[in-house]
Amino acid sequence: MRYLPLTPADRASMLETIGAATVDDLFIDVPAEARLAGPIEGLPAHASEMAVERHMSALAAKNLSAGSAPFFLGAGAYRHHVPASVDHLIQRGEFLTAYTPYQPEIAQGTLQVLFEFQTQVARLFGTDIANASMYDGSTACWEAILMAARITRKGRSVLSGGLHPHYGEVVRTMAKFTKDDIVSLAPELTADPDDAAVIAAIDATTSCVVVQYPDVMGRIPDLAAISEAAHAVGALVIAVVTEPVALGLIEAPGTLGADIVVGEGQSLGVGLQFGGPYLGLFGCREKFVRQMPGRLCGQTVDAEGKRGFVLTLSTREQHIRREKATSNICTNSGLCALAFSIHLTLLGGEGLARLAAVNHARAQQTFERLAKVPGVTILNTAYFNEATVILPRDAREVVRELADRQVLGGVSLGRLFPVADGLHNGLLVAATETTTDEDIEAFATALEAVLAGASA
């Protein structure tokens, strides 16, 4: 066959070499119940391209998309307006150079924008330096924990109860392979984050403490107090930022004592995109630069004294001795980093501050209106553009009923924390500059009807 060049004899020889009797033996680690026993029931063996397009379009039409209804979802992915100029500029020829900038003489456009991106992230995070981006926020969080272990030579990490549970799952999954000791604190439905519990969990064996800022319920932890307690016993503080627009209004985590700051850059320049691809951000203190994963672009001069950009550090096994590598991350999110950088450049420092102020104002307006709905209370003492609303019944049911009324009314804490029964009445609600007065009123009206048990 044209696309299967190996003959049965070739396959038999390969299996014999590796000691497997059949191809099925290669999947022995996959549980039998997780393997397909045969064709998928109801799925035709083949169909024409037009038939598949019609079928997929019909399935897509069943979705309630972000732009077609009042939208109050957040929890780590936020709907912001991305200027049309961002999409136009990322397609310019200056940036359509070599995908991987190994040859600086033909990749100056890519290298320069990554250099500028690093500067922007470092200033946003309040850190000395930042790398050329990671895959996404959750994997950046794990890389930071690995980095802290290398620096402190300790293996115990404390995860705040306010850390996004999906980030925690990534950390615990990866720790199975490194044998790191991960202490995950329980989430609590309190008006303010339990900073005292985080501080109490830090001891002399602690490598790092991971704190989301603002946290998954929209609360704002006291990073300065946590940093002071961690540094007293030689531990590092890793701050996780899932909504970078917040840093236009609240103090940068690096200035509050965080040693490593990581996060998700999706909010700037990158659309929701069905959950990805997104953009990991990573910054730290300069003294830790050689332990930082990923790439670092630098500025230099050529033989004629002209300014140029090069790949200064790339601490992965492809470039240096494997045992000296800090990470096996194989690239950076170049296109998303470019979009992030262009959007942030268009905003500027003052523009980011104004955008953040509008987000906060929209959130205030939303929660003031929701607080008037019978049975609804607002949990948070403080928040940026996202907070937790307490409902009189399971928020998962309410979310589904709101969707039936053409309102995307937030993310239920029961979905994020399915085994934490005490959180199931919590609804995480986010508002951004895209939220209108009409959206807020439609949400409040629909929520009041759902809670009252009125028929749609």
Side-chain angles (χ1 to χ4, degrees), residues 229-296:
H231 295 159
V233 293
L236 302 185
V237 173
I238 299 171
V240 176
V241 179
T242 63
E243 171 54 299
V245 175
L247 301 181
L249 198 60
I250 64 176
E251 195 165 356
T255 64
L256 294 173
D259 303 283
I260 305 171
V261 185
V262 299
E264 176 55 64
Q266 173 271 327
S267 283
L268 291 169
V270 183
L272 289 169
Q273 301 179 168
F274 303 99
Y278 284 170
L279 169 67
L281 308 177
F282 199 112
C284 67
R285 299 185 188 277
E286 186 174 6
K287 65 182 180 180
F288 300 143
V289 63
R290 291 193 175 274
Q291 292 298 332
M292 184 172 65
R295 296 172 172 159
L296 193 67

Side-chain angles (χ1 to χ4, degrees), residues 347-358:
L347 285 169
E350 292 182 4
L352 178 64
R354 289 200 299 270
L355 176 62
V358 170

Side-chain angles (χ1 to χ4, degrees), residues 151-422:
I151 294 168
T152 64
R153 300 185 184 278
K154 302 174 186 177
R156 181 178 181 270
S157 303
V158 176
L159 308 186
S160 161
L163 180 67
H164 194 299
H166 296 171
Y167 283 50
E169 285 297 321
V170 168
V171 168
R172 286 185 288 273
T173 297
M174 297 303 293
K176 292 177 183 177
F177 304 98
T178 62
K179 309 303 181 186
D180 283 56
D181 179 18
I182 306 297
V183 179
S184 301
L185 302 182
E188 298 290 344
L189 207 59
T190 54
D192 297 295
D194 193 352
D195 298 330
V198 175
I199 292 172
I202 303 171
D203 62 25
T205 68
T206 302
S207 164
C208 63
V209 55
V210 182
V211 183
Q212 186 169 319
Y213 175 82
D215 75 7
V216 71
M217 296 185 199
R219 304 165 303 190
I220 302 175
D222 187 347
L223 273 182
I226 294 171
S227 297
E228 183 179 357
H231 295 159
V233 293
L236 302 185
V237 173
I238 299 171
V240 176
V241 179
T242 63
E243 171 54 299
V245 175
L247 301 181
L249 198 60
I250 64 176
E251 195 165 356
T255 64
L256 294 173
D259 303 283
I260 305 171
V261 185
V262 299
E264 176 55 64
Q266 173 271 327
S267 283
L268 291 169
V270 183
L272 289 169
Q273 301 179 168
F274 303 99
Y278 284 170
L279 169 67
L281 308 177
F282 199 112
C284 67
R285 299 185 188 277
E286 186 174 6
K287 65 182 180 180
F288 300 143
V289 63
R290 291 193 175 274
Q291 292 298 332
M292 184 172 65
R295 296 172 172 159
L296 193 67
C297 294
Q299 177 178 293
T300 186
V301 293
D302 64 13
E304 298 177 356
K306 296 178 181 178
R307 184 180 71 157
F309 300 91
V310 295
L311 205 59
T312 303
L313 285 176
S314 193
T315 52
R316 68 182 177 119
E317 76 280 0
Q318 182 176 335
H319 296 144
I320 60 177
R321 292 193 300 275
R322 182 181 297 269
E323 65 275 11
K324 297 292 185 181
T326 63
S327 170
N328 66 352
I329 182 170
C330 295
T331 183
N332 58 279
S333 297
L335 185 63
C336 293
L338 174 60
F340 175 100
S341 184
I342 290 172
H343 192 179
L344 194 51
T345 300
L346 290 170
L347 285 169
E350 292 182 4
L352 178 64
R354 289 200 299 270
L355 176 62
V358 170
N359 272 252
H360 183 58
R362 278 299 176 187
Q364 283 183 303
Q365 185 180 349
T366 299
F367 295 120
E368 286 172 3
R369 178 63 181 89
L370 293 180
K372 297 177 182 178
V373 175
V376 172
T377 57
I378 311 303
L379 176 69
N380 301 49
T381 301
Y383 55 84
F384 168 59
N385 67 353
E386 186 171 33
T388 301
V389 173
I390 307 301
L391 306 179
R393 61 187 178 96
D394 194 316
R396 285 173 291 190
E397 301 170 359
V398 174
V399 166
R400 286 191 289 269
E401 293 177 39
L402 287 171
D404 291 338
R405 294 171 179 270
Q406 302 298 295
V407 174
L408 293 168
V411 178
S412 63
L413 293 185
R415 179 179 179 180
L416 294 175
F417 302 97
V419 298
D421 294 341

